[in-house]
Amino acid sequence: MSLNTFGHLFRVTTWGESHGPALGVTVDGCPPGVPIDEGMIQHWLDRRKPGQNKYTTQRREADEVKILSGVFEGQTTGTPVQLMIENTDQRSKDYSDIMEKFRPGHADITYWQKYGIRDYRGGGRSSARETASRVAAGGLAREAIRALLPGVQITGYMTQMGPHKIDRDRFDWDEIENNPFWVPDAQAATDWADYLDGLRKSGESVGAIIEVVARGVPAGLGAPVYGKLDTDLAAAMMSINAVKGVEIGEGMSSAMLTGTLNADEIFMGPNGPEYSSNHAGGVLGGISTGQDIVVRFAVKPTSSILSTRRTITKSGEETEIITKGRHDPCVGIRAVPVGEAMMACVILDHMLLHRGQVGENRGKIG
Amino acid sequence: MSLNTFGHLFRVTTWGESHGPALGVTVDGCPPGVPIDEGMIQHWLDRRKPGQNKYTTQRREADEVKILSGVFEGQTTGTPVQLMIENTDQRSKDYSDIMEKFRPGHADITYWQKYGIRDYRGGGRSSARETASRVAAGGLAREAIRALLPGVQITGYMTQMGPHKIDRDRFDWDEIENNPFWVPDAQAATDWADYLDGLRKSGESVGAIIEVVARGVPAGLGAPVYGKLDTDLAAAMMSINAVKGVEIGEGMSSAMLTGTLNADEIFMGPNGPEYSSNHAGGVLGGISTGQDIVVRFAVKPTSSILSTRRTITKSGEETEIITKGRHDPCVGIRAVPVGEAMMACVILDHMLLHRGQVGENRGKIG
Amino acid sequence: MSLNTFGHLFRVTTWGESHGPALGVTVDGCPPGVPIDEGMIQHWLDRRKPGQNKYTTQRREADEVKILSGVFEGQTTGTPVQLMIENTDQRSKDYSDIMEKFRPGHADITYWQKYGIRDYRGGGRSSARETASRVAAGGLAREAIRALLPGVQITGYMTQMGPHKIDRDRFDWDEIENNPFWVPDAQAATDWADYLDGLRKSGESVGAIIEVVARGVPAGLGAPVYGKLDTDLAAAMMSINAVKGVEIGEGMSSAMLTGTLNADEIFMGPNGPEYSSNHAGGVLGGISTGQDIVVRFAVKPTSSILSTRRTITKSGEETEIITKGRHDPCVGIRAVPVGEAMMACVILDHMLLHRGQVGENRGKIG
Amino acid sequence: MSLNTFGHLFRVTTWGESHGPALGVTVDGCPPGVPIDEGMIQHWLDRRKPGQNKYTTQRREADEVKILSGVFEGQTTGTPVQLMIENTDQRSKDYSDIMEKFRPGHADITYWQKYGIRDYRGGGRSSARETASRVAAGGLAREAIRALLPGVQITGYMTQMGPHKIDRDRFDWDEIENNPFWVPDAQAATDWADYLDGLRKSGESVGAIIEVVARGVPAGLGAPVYGKLDTDLAAAMMSINAVKGVEIGEGMSSAMLTGTLNADEIFMGPNGPEYSSNHAGGVLGGISTGQDIVVRFAVKPTSSILSTRRTITKSGEETEIITKGRHDPCVGIRAVPVGEAMMACVILDHMLLHRGQVGENRGKIG
C-alpha cells in the first residue's frame, strides 16, 4: 500500500503539512553512488519557491533542504534518503474563519468528511506546499538519471494560460528561463504578464496548461499493462494538486484523428528507428519508443480568490466566504517545476525497473 | 511490484495473449459473501464481445468466462477469484508479414525493443483482447459494490467520434443502450452510423472520447496524496489500450476558467452538502465529494488500417505494410464497457481502502 | 497489497481450492527469454505429487500443469505466465461432518471466523494442495535462475522426523534422491521408514524439520532493512502450510553462542572472500555473503489423524471428530519440494531486485 | 516495492544511519483521531535507550523524538506521521580501522559488496540504532490499537540468555519490569546478572531468546496465504538486526510432536471458542484464533567483541581486528522493546487490513 508513496523502485514518500514544523520526502530505492549535495537539490527547489515575483504567492519560505540520511561523503549509499524542509513562515494568523467554513474548490470539506479531523491551517496536507517535497525528490532523481544515463533532458513549460495559448511557430527552448511563466514564446510572455496582472489586481485567478518533455530517453522503458510509462505519468501528473487532465502526445485531440494520420510511420536512421511524427508522445503500448516523451496537464485556477463565494460550515449552516491570504493568481506557474520533478521520478523509476524486470537479451533492430 | 496488477486492496491481475490458449484475470481481495455466478460476469463480457455488429471487429469469440476459484455455492469466499476465457477463434493465418515488420501505431516495435521476444500473433499481450479480462473483473467489482453499497450506478457512453460531438441538450440516459455506439443522443447515433460506415468501407479508422460517470458514490473515497481517487482513475483509464488523454470533471478546459467560475459553491441539502455545479467532477483534493464522479478519456484511432504505411523490419530495412485483418473502425466503441469496468474496480477498491485506512470517526456535517 | 502474492519483482500469485475445478499460479515479472516448457515444470511437480508411496496421501492427482500464457515458441516473453493444474480426483464424498464441525489444528474455525463462508471440501484454500502452485512457480524460477546465473543449486532435505535427527557425519548429497524422505543419510532413511510405518498404521502423524540450501549464490543479494534476504526467506517458509518455525544458519541455537564463537572469520580465497565457518547461514545484515544460504523450517504434524479429538460445531455445540481421509502421516516429506520452490522464488526475486535497485558500481574486494 | 518499508496498510518506513544527523520513521496509514503526543512515544523509546545500565552500550543518546507531521491538536489526522530522532552522541573518533577492515559478523562486507559504498561510522544503516525508529513506530501503533480496540496487551521478555533458560514454573508477568533483562523470573534475573557481568568484563558477548505475547487479539486477523499473521510476524522479527530464528507457538519443537499432541482441542466458552492448549501460538491457517499470539526469536551474540578476529581489508589483504567501542554484551536485552514494537505494528496492520479486505458478514459461532 502506498497512499503517500509514488513509484515502483524509486519510492518517493512525501510527508508534512503547510503549517507544521517541517515537511519533506523519504526516498527509498535511489541507486548508490549518485553524487549529491544539498545545493544540487536546492537548485530545483528555488525554482518552485514562493515569493519570487509578483505572480506567485507572497508567502516567504526559504525552502531550505537538509539531507538527513542516505548520503555519505557526497554520494548516495543506497539507503533511504531523507530530505527535510523546515517551515519558517507559518505566519501567525487568525484561522477561525476557515476552521469552521469549507472553502469552495479546496479539499477542506472532503478531508473533513474522510478523516473527521483536519489541519485547517493553510490547507494542511492538501496545500500546494506538499509539492516542495516532490521537487526535492525530483532533484535527486535528476542526478541519479544523470549518473546512470547522461543525455536525458527534462523540461517543462506553460503552453496555455486561461484562453491564451503559445504560438508553436515561435517555440524557443532558450526562452523558457527568460520569463516568470516558463513560456517558450517571448511574445506570449509579454502578453500574459499584462493579462495576469489584471487578474491579480482584481483578486481573480486562472488555470493553465503545462507541457513536460523528456528528451534522450531510450526505447524500452515502461511496463505493460498496468505499469505502462504513460499510465505512471498520468498518475504522477494527476496526483499534483489542482490538476484535472493529463494528455500524452496527441492527447484528447487524438479522438479527431483518422488512423492514417495518427500512426507515426517508421524509418531507419543512423542510430536506430526514427519516426515521421510523434502523435504517440513517445510511448507505444506503454513502452518508450526513443522519441521525446511528451506529457501535458491542465491546472485549474487557484480556488483562493477575493470574490465572495457561498459555502457551508461544519455545523451545516449556509454562509459566505472570501479567501484572503497570500495566493497565486495562476498556480499553474509553480506547477512547471513540479511537473518536471514528477517526470524525472517516473523516468528514473522505469530505468531501474527495466533493469530489474528483464534480462539482457533485449531486441536489437538492424 | 504490480506490473500486470491494478488496485490497492481489490487486486486485479490480467494475464494472457490474443492468440494463446486462454486469457483471464486473477482477482485478489474481493470481499467474501458477494453473490456471483458466471452468468453475472458474462452479462458484462457480452457487451464488449467482438463481432456483434458491423462496427466492431468480425473476429468471433464466445468470450465465455469460467470461474475457477474463489467462489463456493454462489458466493465469493474471500480467496482469489480466477476468471478464465478460452480463446476459440485464433484463426490460423499467415503471420510472416507482421512477424518481421513492425506495424506503425502498434506496440510491435516497443515490445521487441523491451523484451527481445514477442508473440506477434494478433498483437499478443498488447492486443485489445486483454481488455476482456478487465471487463470480467469489472463485472465482479460491480456485484461487490452492489453487495456493499446498493445505489451506486456506473455508466459509460461516447461523447465524441472523430469531429462529431454529442449535443448535451439532447442527453438521454435511456438512449445509451439503444444504439451500437452507446451514445446518449439519438440524433448523434444516426449521424455517426453513416459517418462510421463510410470510414469502415474505406478501411479507415477514427478516434473517440468516452465519458464514464459513477452516481451514488459517497463522500470520503480517495487516499491523498498518491492514491487519490482521480489519480487512480487517471491511471486506470490511461492503462487501457489506445487511450491518450484522461480528464476529471472540467478536464483540460479548466485551464480556461477563472477561479470564480471554477469553484463549485456549496449549499446544505436535506441529505448533506450539495453543490451549485460540478466542475470538480466529484473529486476535491483526491477525495470524493458525493457528487457524480465524471471521467473522460480519448481513444486514438485503431492503428490497423488498410492504407499503406511505411515502416521497418526487425533487421532494420525500410519497407511498407498494410494491416489487413478483422479490426474495429472505431475501437473507442468497445472501450465503453472497458472504461466502466475500470471505474467499477477503482470505486470498489477505494471503498475497501476507506475502511482499511481510517477509523469510524469520520466527519459529520450538520 | 498482495495477500495471495509473494515476491517483489518475481510476483507469484497462487489461486485455487482443494476441490475446485483447478488451481494454479499467476507469475508476473519473469524475465523474457527463459527457455521453458510444461515438461520442465512438470518435473518438479512430480516430486511433490501425492500418492507416490505409502508415506504420502493416497489422493491420486495427475497434477498436470498447463501453460496458458506468457510463453511463446518455448521461451518466456516477459508477460504474465499462467500455470494451471486441473483437479481431477475431487473424490465425491460426504462432507456433512466437516461442514458443521471444525477440525482441531486445521484452519476451519479461523476461515469461518474471518470470512463467514468457507469452502470446507478438503480444506478449500487452506489445503496443502495450494503448495502445488508454489512448486510450479518454483520450477519456472529455477529455469530463470539457470538462464541468468548458471551454477546456483537449490536442494532441500529432511534433517529431523519426530525425535529422530540425521547424523551430520553421514551427510551425503547423493543419498537425498534415493529414499522417500529426501534424507541425506542412508541409515536414517532406513530407520525412519520403520518409525513412520508404525505411525501410519496407528493413524498417527508426526512433525519434521526440513533444511534447504542454496549453493552458488553470489554476494550482494538482499535488500535491507525490510526486504532482507533472510526476512524474505523467513516469510516464504512461514507462509507454507503447517510451518511453525524458521531458522537461518545457526538459528535458535545462536542464543547459546558467544560472540567469539559466532562471528565467522574472513579470509581471502582465490575467488574472493572466504569464511572459517557459516554460523550466519550465508546472510549478513540481510545481504548474501556468497556462502551457502542455509534455511531450516519446522513442519507441525498433520492435523488430520485417526484419534478422536474434541471440538465444537458452527452452532457452538461441543462434540468430537475423527478426521478420516487420505492424509500424510508426515506432511513434512512433501514440504521438501515446496521449501525448495520457495527458496528458488526468493533467490530469483533478489537477483532481479539487485539489478533494479542498485547501480553497477558494486564494491570490489582486492 | 518496500525495501525499507514494513506493513500493508500501516506502512512503516525507517530511515537514517547510526552517525548521521538524525534517524526516524515515516508512518503512513495511521488511522485518524488517535490521541498521541511526543511523550507517549518517548515512553517506549526510553525502554530501548542505550546507556541505562551496565548491561547495555554506554553510548549516551537522549533518543528524543519529535513529531514533524500528521498530528494536529493532539490527534493523528490520517496523513503521514514523521517521527525524527536527532543523533547527539556521534562521538568523534578514529574510524580508519573499520573504514578499511570488515568486522566479522557485521554487515560491513556485504554492504560493501552490494552497494560499493558504505557509511562505516558505527555500522551506518546496519547499526542497531535503526531499531529506535521501529520502537517509535511501535509506540504510535500501540496507541492506535488502544483507540480501536482497548484490551490488547503486548508484552516481550527474555526466556533465554546463552545457555540459561527461564523456569516456566516461576513465570511472573509482574517481574518483567523489575529487572534489567525483562525476565519474568526473579531468580533468573539474579543469576543472569552475574553471568552477564562476567561476560562483559571479559569483552565477550552472548545470544538470547525473546518471547513476545499479544493478549486480547480477536479471532480473524491474518490474510492467507502470503499475508498470514504468522508470516508477517516471522518477517517482522527476522528483519530485526541479529535475529537468526523465529518461532510461532510450539515453533521448531513442533517437529517432535505427534498429531494427537499437537492439535489444540476446541471447547465452547462463555465468550466463544476456547482451546485446551496453545501449541498453535494463536494462529491457525495464518489467521488469529483469539488465543494469545506467541512469537519467539533468537538474537545472535553481539559481533563487536574484544577478542581478536581474523578478517580482510577492502583491498583483499588478510588482517586482524578487535572491535573496541561502546557495545552491548547481550544485544538481546534491547531487542525486547523492539520485538514488542514489531508485534504492535503487525497487529495494528492486520486490524486495518481485516476491515479493508472483508465484509461485515463474518462467521459467528453459536
Side-chain angles (χ1 to χ4, degrees), chain A residues 1 4 8-9 11 15-17 21-22 26 28 32 68-70 72-73 75 77 79-80 82 115 117-121, chain D residues 1 4 8-9 11 15-17 21-22 26 28 32 68-70 72-73 75-77 79-80 82 115 117-121:
Chain A
M1 197 57 29
N4 287 276
H8 303 276
L9 285 176
R11 301 274 288 170
W15 54 270
E17 278 80 38
T26 311
D28 193 8
L68 296 185
S69 68
F72 182 62
E73 296 181 345
Q75 289 186 57
T77 58
T79 62
Q82 182 61 257
Y115 296 115
I117 177 175
R118 69 187 173 98
D119 182 347
Y120 44 78
R121 300 168 305 164
Chain D
M1 197 59 27
N4 287 275
H8 302 276
L9 285 176
R11 302 273 290 169
W15 55 269
E17 279 80 39
T26 312
D28 193 9
L68 297 184
S69 67
F72 182 61
E73 297 182 343
Q75 289 186 54
T76 57
T77 59
T79 64
Q82 182 60 259
Y115 297 115
I117 178 175
R118 70 188 172 97
D119 181 348
Y120 44 76
R121 301 167 305 163

Coordinates of all heavy atoms in Angstrom, one line a residue, chain A residues 1 4 8-9 11 15-17 21-22 26 28 32 68-70 72-73 75 77 79-80 82 115 117-121, chain D residues 1 4 8-9 11 15-17 21-22 26 28 32 68-70 72-73 75-77 79-80 82 115 117-121:
Chain A
M1 N 0.9 -1.2 0.0 CA 0.0 0.0 0.0 C 0.9 1.2 0.0 O 2.0 1.2 0.6 CB -0.8 0.0 1.3 CG -2.0 0.9 1.2 SD -3.1 0.5 -0.2 CE -2.8 -1.2 -0.3
N4 N 0.8 7.6 0.3 CA 1.6 8.8 0.2 C 2.9 8.5 -0.4 O 3.9 9.2 -0.3 CB 1.8 9.5 1.6 CG 0.5 10.1 2.1 OD1 0.2 11.2 1.7 ND2 -0.3 9.4 2.8
H8 N 7.7 2.6 -8.2 CA 7.8 1.2 -8.0 C 9.1 0.9 -7.3 O 9.1 0.3 -6.2 CB 7.8 0.5 -9.4 CG 6.6 0.7 -10.2 ND1 5.4 0.0 -10.0 CD2 6.3 1.6 -11.2 CE1 4.5 0.4 -10.9 NE2 5.0 1.4 -11.6
L9 N 10.2 1.3 -7.9 CA 11.5 1.0 -7.3 C 12.2 2.3 -6.7 O 12.9 2.2 -5.7 CB 12.5 0.4 -8.3 CG 12.2 -1.1 -8.6 CD1 13.2 -1.6 -9.7 CD2 12.4 -2.0 -7.4
R11 N 11.1 4.9 -4.7 CA 9.9 5.1 -3.9 C 10.0 6.5 -3.2 O 10.8 6.7 -2.3 CB 9.8 4.0 -2.9 CG 9.8 2.6 -3.5 CD 8.4 2.2 -3.9 NE 7.6 2.0 -2.7 CZ 6.3 1.8 -2.8 NH1 5.7 1.8 -3.9 NH2 5.6 1.5 -1.7
W15 N 5.7 13.8 3.0 CA 5.1 14.0 4.3 C 5.1 15.4 4.7 O 5.9 16.2 4.2 CB 5.8 13.1 5.4 CG 7.3 13.4 5.5 CD1 8.3 12.8 4.9 CD2 7.9 14.4 6.3 NE1 9.5 13.3 5.2 CE2 9.3 14.3 6.1 CE3 7.4 15.3 7.3 CZ2 10.2 15.1 6.8 CZ3 8.3 16.2 7.9 CH2 9.7 16.0 7.7
G16 N 4.2 15.8 5.6 CA 4.2 17.2 6.1 C 3.0 18.0 5.7 O 2.4 17.8 4.7
E17 N 2.7 19.0 6.6 CA 1.6 19.9 6.4 C 2.1 21.3 6.2 O 3.2 21.7 6.6 CB 0.7 19.8 7.6 CG -0.3 18.7 7.5 CD 0.3 17.4 8.0 OE1 1.1 17.4 8.9 OE2 0.0 16.3 7.4
P21 N 5.8 21.9 11.7 CA 7.2 22.3 11.8 C 8.0 22.1 10.6 O 9.0 22.8 10.4 CB 7.7 21.5 13.0 CG 6.6 20.4 13.3 CD 5.4 20.9 12.7
A22 N 7.7 21.1 9.8 CA 8.6 20.8 8.6 C 7.8 19.9 7.7 O 6.7 19.3 8.0 CB 9.8 20.0 9.1
T26 N 10.8 11.1 1.9 CA 11.6 9.9 2.2 C 11.8 9.2 0.9 O 10.8 8.8 0.3 CB 10.9 9.0 3.2 OG1 10.5 9.7 4.3 CG2 11.8 7.9 3.7
D28 N 13.2 6.1 -1.0 CA 13.8 4.8 -0.9 C 14.0 4.2 -2.2 O 13.2 4.2 -3.1 CB 12.8 3.9 -0.1 CG 13.5 2.6 0.4 OD1 14.7 2.5 0.3 OD2 12.7 1.8 1.0
P32 N 22.9 3.6 -5.3 CA 24.1 4.1 -4.6 C 25.1 4.7 -5.6 O 25.0 4.5 -6.8 CB 24.7 2.8 -4.0 CG 24.3 1.7 -4.9 CD 22.9 2.1 -5.5
L68 N 19.1 14.4 5.6 CA 19.3 13.8 7.0 C 19.8 12.3 6.9 O 20.2 11.8 7.9 CB 17.9 13.8 7.7 CG 17.3 15.2 8.0 CD1 16.1 15.0 8.9 CD2 18.4 16.0 8.8
S69 N 19.8 11.7 5.8 CA 20.2 10.3 5.7 C 20.5 9.9 4.3 O 20.1 10.6 3.3 CB 19.2 9.4 6.3 OG 18.0 9.3 5.5
G70 N 21.2 8.8 4.1 CA 21.3 8.1 2.8 C 22.4 8.7 2.0 O 22.6 8.2 0.8
F72 N 26.6 9.9 2.0 CA 27.8 9.8 2.8 C 29.0 10.3 1.9 O 29.1 9.8 0.8 CB 28.1 8.3 3.2 CG 29.3 8.1 4.0 CD1 29.4 8.7 5.3 CD2 30.3 7.3 3.6 CE1 30.6 8.5 6.0 CE2 31.5 7.1 4.3 CZ 31.6 7.7 5.6
E73 N 29.7 11.2 2.4 CA 30.8 11.8 1.6 C 30.4 12.2 0.2 O 31.1 11.9 -0.8 CB 32.0 10.8 1.7 CG 32.5 10.6 3.1 CD 33.7 9.7 3.2 OE1 33.9 8.9 2.2 OE2 34.3 9.6 4.2
Q75 N 27.9 11.2 -1.7 CA 27.3 10.2 -2.6 C 26.2 9.5 -1.9 O 26.2 9.2 -0.7 CB 28.3 9.1 -3.1 CG 29.4 9.6 -4.0 CD 30.2 8.5 -4.5 OE1 29.7 7.5 -5.1 NE2 31.5 8.6 -4.3
T77 N 24.1 6.3 -0.7 CA 24.6 5.0 -0.3 C 23.7 3.8 -0.6 O 24.0 2.7 -0.3 CB 24.8 5.0 1.3 OG1 23.5 5.3 1.9 CG2 25.8 6.0 1.7
T79 N 20.8 3.6 0.7 CA 19.8 3.5 1.8 C 18.9 4.7 1.7 O 19.1 5.6 0.9 CB 20.6 3.6 3.2 OG1 21.3 4.8 3.3 CG2 21.5 2.4 3.3
P80 N 17.8 4.8 2.5 CA 16.8 5.8 2.3 C 17.4 7.2 2.5 O 18.1 7.5 3.4 CB 15.7 5.6 3.4 CG 15.8 4.1 3.7 CD 17.3 3.8 3.5
Q82 N 16.6 11.0 3.3 CA 15.5 11.8 3.9 C 15.9 13.3 3.7 O 16.9 13.7 4.0 CB 15.5 11.5 5.5 CG 14.4 12.3 6.2 CD 13.0 12.0 5.8 OE1 12.4 12.8 5.0 NE2 12.5 10.9 6.2
Y115 N -11.7 12.1 7.1 CA -10.9 11.8 8.3 C -11.6 12.3 9.6 O -11.2 11.8 10.7 CB -9.6 12.5 8.2 CG -8.7 12.0 7.0 CD1 -8.4 12.9 6.0 CD2 -8.2 10.7 7.0 CE1 -7.6 12.4 4.9 CE2 -7.5 10.3 6.0 CZ -7.2 11.1 4.9 OH -6.4 10.7 3.9
I117 N -11.2 14.9 11.0 CA -10.2 15.8 11.7 C -9.4 16.4 10.5 O -9.1 15.7 9.6 CB -9.3 15.2 12.7 CG1 -8.3 16.2 13.3 CG2 -8.6 14.0 12.1 CD1 -7.5 15.6 14.4
R118 N -9.1 17.7 10.6 CA -8.2 18.3 9.6 C -7.4 19.4 10.1 O -7.9 20.2 11.0 CB -9.0 18.7 8.4 CG -9.9 19.9 8.6 CD -10.8 20.2 7.4 NE -11.7 21.3 7.8 CZ -11.5 22.6 7.4 NH1 -10.5 23.0 6.7 NH2 -12.3 23.5 7.8
D119 N -6.2 19.5 9.7 CA -5.3 20.6 10.0 C -5.7 21.7 9.0 O -5.3 21.7 7.9 CB -3.9 20.1 9.8 CG -2.9 21.3 10.2 OD1 -3.3 22.4 10.3 OD2 -1.7 20.9 10.3
Y120 N -6.5 22.6 9.5 CA -7.1 23.6 8.6 C -6.1 24.7 8.2 O -6.4 25.5 7.4 CB -8.4 24.2 9.2 CG -8.2 24.5 10.6 CD1 -7.6 25.7 11.0 CD2 -8.8 23.7 11.6 CE1 -7.4 26.0 12.4 CE2 -8.6 23.9 12.9 CZ -7.9 25.1 13.3 OH -7.8 25.4 14.7
R121 N -5.0 24.8 9.0 CA -4.1 25.9 8.8 C -3.4 25.8 7.4 O -2.6 25.0 7.2 CB -3.0 25.9 9.9 CG -3.6 26.0 11.3 CD -2.5 25.6 12.3 NE -1.9 24.3 12.0 CZ -0.8 23.9 12.6 NH1 -0.1 24.6 13.4 NH2 -0.3 22.7 12.3
Chain D
M1 N 7.1 -1.6 -4.2 CA 8.4 -2.1 -3.6 C 8.5 -1.4 -2.2 O 8.0 -0.4 -2.0 CB 9.5 -1.6 -4.5 CG 10.8 -2.2 -4.2 SD 10.7 -4.0 -4.5 CE 9.4 -4.2 -5.6
N4 N 12.6 -0.5 2.5 CA 12.8 0.0 3.9 C 11.4 0.3 4.5 O 11.3 1.1 5.5 CB 13.7 1.3 3.9 CG 15.1 0.9 3.6 OD1 15.9 0.6 4.5 ND2 15.5 0.9 2.4
H8 N 1.3 -3.6 5.5 CA 0.4 -3.5 4.3 C -0.3 -2.1 4.3 O -0.2 -1.4 3.4 CB -0.6 -4.6 4.4 CG 0.0 -6.0 4.4 ND1 0.4 -6.6 3.2 CD2 0.3 -6.8 5.4 CE1 0.9 -7.8 3.6 NE2 0.9 -7.9 4.9
L9 N -1.0 -1.8 5.4 CA -1.8 -0.6 5.4 C -1.2 0.4 6.4 O -1.3 1.6 6.3 CB -3.3 -0.9 5.8 CG -4.1 -1.5 4.7 CD1 -5.5 -1.8 5.2 CD2 -4.2 -0.5 3.5
R11 N 2.0 1.5 7.2 CA 3.2 1.5 6.5 C 4.3 2.2 7.2 O 4.3 3.4 7.4 CB 3.1 2.1 5.1 CG 2.0 1.4 4.3 CD 2.5 0.3 3.5 NE 3.3 0.7 2.4 CZ 4.1 -0.2 1.7 NH1 4.0 -1.5 2.0 NH2 4.9 0.2 0.8
W15 N 14.3 5.3 8.4 CA 15.4 5.9 7.6 C 16.5 6.3 8.6 O 16.2 6.5 9.8 CB 14.9 7.1 6.8 CG 14.1 8.1 7.6 CD1 12.8 8.1 7.9 CD2 14.7 9.2 8.3 NE1 12.5 9.2 8.7 CE2 13.6 9.9 8.9 CE3 16.0 9.8 8.4 CZ2 13.8 11.1 9.7 CZ3 16.2 10.9 9.2 CH2 15.1 11.6 9.8
G16 N 17.7 6.5 8.1 CA 18.7 7.1 9.0 C 19.9 6.1 9.3 O 19.7 4.9 9.3
E17 N 21.0 6.7 9.6 CA 22.2 6.0 9.9 C 22.7 6.3 11.3 O 22.3 7.3 11.9 CB 23.3 6.3 8.9 CG 23.2 5.6 7.6 CD 22.2 6.2 6.6 OE1 22.1 7.5 6.5 OE2 21.5 5.5 5.9
P21 N 23.0 12.9 10.9 CA 22.4 13.9 11.7 C 21.2 13.5 12.5 O 20.9 14.0 13.6 CB 22.1 15.1 10.7 CG 22.2 14.5 9.4 CD 23.1 13.3 9.5
A22 N 20.4 12.5 11.9 CA 19.2 12.1 12.6 C 18.7 10.8 12.0 O 19.2 10.4 10.9 CB 18.1 13.1 12.4
T26 N 8.9 7.2 8.9 CA 7.7 7.8 8.3 C 6.6 6.8 8.4 O 6.7 5.7 7.8 CB 8.0 8.1 6.8 OG1 9.3 8.7 6.7 CG2 6.9 8.9 6.1
D28 N 2.9 5.9 7.4 CA 1.8 6.2 6.5 C 0.7 5.2 6.8 O 0.9 4.0 6.8 CB 2.2 6.1 5.0 CG 1.2 6.8 4.1 OD1 0.3 7.4 4.6 OD2 1.4 6.7 2.9
P32 N -6.9 8.2 11.5 CA -7.1 9.5 12.1 C -7.7 9.4 13.5 O -8.4 8.4 13.8 CB -8.0 10.2 11.1 CG -8.8 9.1 10.5 CD -7.9 7.9 10.5
L68 N 7.0 15.6 13.5 CA 7.1 16.6 12.5 C 5.8 16.8 11.6 O 5.7 17.8 10.9 CB 8.3 16.4 11.6 CG 9.6 16.4 12.2 CD1 10.7 16.3 11.2 CD2 9.8 17.7 13.0
S69 N 5.0 15.8 11.6 CA 3.8 15.9 10.7 C 2.7 14.8 11.1 O 3.0 13.9 11.9 CB 4.2 15.6 9.3 OG 4.6 14.3 9.1
G70 N 1.5 15.0 10.6 CA 0.5 14.0 10.8 C -0.3 14.1 12.1 O -1.2 13.3 12.3
F72 N -2.3 16.8 14.8 CA -2.9 18.2 14.9 C -3.7 18.2 16.2 O -4.6 17.4 16.4 CB -3.7 18.5 13.7 CG -4.3 19.9 13.7 CD1 -3.5 21.0 13.7 CD2 -5.7 20.1 13.7 CE1 -4.0 22.3 13.7 CE2 -6.2 21.3 13.7 CZ -5.4 22.4 13.7
E73 N -3.3 19.1 17.0 CA -4.1 19.3 18.3 C -4.2 18.0 19.1 O -5.3 17.6 19.5 CB -5.4 19.9 18.0 CG -5.3 21.3 17.4 CD -6.6 22.1 17.2 OE1 -7.6 21.4 17.2 OE2 -6.6 23.3 17.0
Q75 N -4.0 14.8 18.1 CA -4.6 13.7 17.4 C -4.0 13.4 16.0 O -3.6 14.4 15.4 CB -6.1 13.8 17.2 CG -6.9 13.8 18.5 CD -8.4 13.8 18.2 OE1 -8.9 12.9 17.5 NE2 -9.1 14.7 18.8
T76 N -3.9 12.2 15.6 CA -3.5 11.9 14.3 C -4.5 12.4 13.3 O -5.7 12.4 13.6 CB -3.2 10.4 14.1 OG1 -4.5 9.7 14.4 CG2 -2.1 9.9 14.9
T77 N -4.1 12.8 12.1 CA -5.0 13.3 11.1 C -5.3 12.4 10.0 O -6.0 12.7 9.1 CB -4.5 14.6 10.5 OG1 -3.2 14.3 9.9 CG2 -4.3 15.7 11.6
T79 N -2.9 11.6 7.9 CA -1.8 11.9 7.0 C -0.5 11.3 7.5 O -0.4 10.9 8.7 CB -1.7 13.4 6.7 OG1 -1.3 14.0 7.9 CG2 -3.0 13.9 6.2
P80 N 0.6 11.3 6.8 CA 1.8 10.6 7.2 C 2.4 11.2 8.5 O 2.5 12.5 8.6 CB 2.8 10.8 6.1 CG 2.0 11.0 4.9 CD 0.8 11.7 5.3
Q82 N 5.6 11.8 10.7 CA 7.0 11.8 10.6 C 7.6 11.9 12.0 O 7.3 12.9 12.7 CB 7.5 12.9 9.8 CG 9.1 12.9 9.6 CD 9.6 11.7 8.9 OE1 10.2 10.8 9.6 NE2 9.4 11.6 7.6
Y115 N 26.6 -2.4 -2.3 CA 26.4 -1.0 -2.7 C 27.7 -0.4 -3.3 O 27.6 0.7 -3.9 CB 25.9 -0.2 -1.5 CG 24.5 -0.6 -1.1 CD1 24.4 -1.2 0.2 CD2 23.4 -0.5 -1.9 CE1 23.1 -1.6 0.7 CE2 22.2 -0.9 -1.4 CZ 22.0 -1.4 -0.2 OH 20.8 -1.8 0.3
I117 N 29.6 1.3 -1.7 CA 29.9 2.5 -0.8 C 29.2 2.1 0.5 O 28.1 1.5 0.5 CB 29.3 3.8 -1.4 CG1 29.5 5.0 -0.5 CG2 27.9 3.6 -1.8 CD1 29.1 6.3 -1.1
R118 N 29.8 2.5 1.6 CA 29.1 2.3 2.9 C 29.5 3.4 3.9 O 30.6 3.8 3.9 CB 29.4 0.9 3.4 CG 30.8 0.7 3.9 CD 31.1 -0.7 4.3 NE 32.5 -0.9 4.6 CZ 33.0 -0.9 5.8 NH1 32.2 -0.8 6.9 NH2 34.3 -1.0 6.0
D119 N 28.5 3.8 4.7 CA 28.8 4.7 5.8 C 29.3 3.8 6.9 O 28.5 3.1 7.6 CB 27.5 5.4 6.1 CG 27.7 6.4 7.3 OD1 28.7 6.3 7.9 OD2 26.7 7.2 7.5
Y120 N 30.6 3.7 7.1 CA 31.2 2.8 8.0 C 31.1 3.2 9.5 O 31.4 2.5 10.4 CB 32.7 2.5 7.6 CG 33.4 3.8 7.3 CD1 33.8 4.6 8.3 CD2 33.6 4.1 6.0 CE1 34.5 5.8 8.0 CE2 34.3 5.3 5.7 CZ 34.7 6.1 6.7 OH 35.4 7.3 6.4
R121 N 30.7 4.5 9.7 CA 30.7 5.0 11.0 C 29.6 4.4 11.9 O 28.4 4.6 11.7 CB 30.4 6.5 11.0 CG 31.5 7.3 10.2 CD 31.0 8.7 9.9 NE 29.7 8.7 9.2 CZ 28.9 9.7 9.1 NH1 29.3 10.9 9.7 NH2 27.8 9.7 8.5

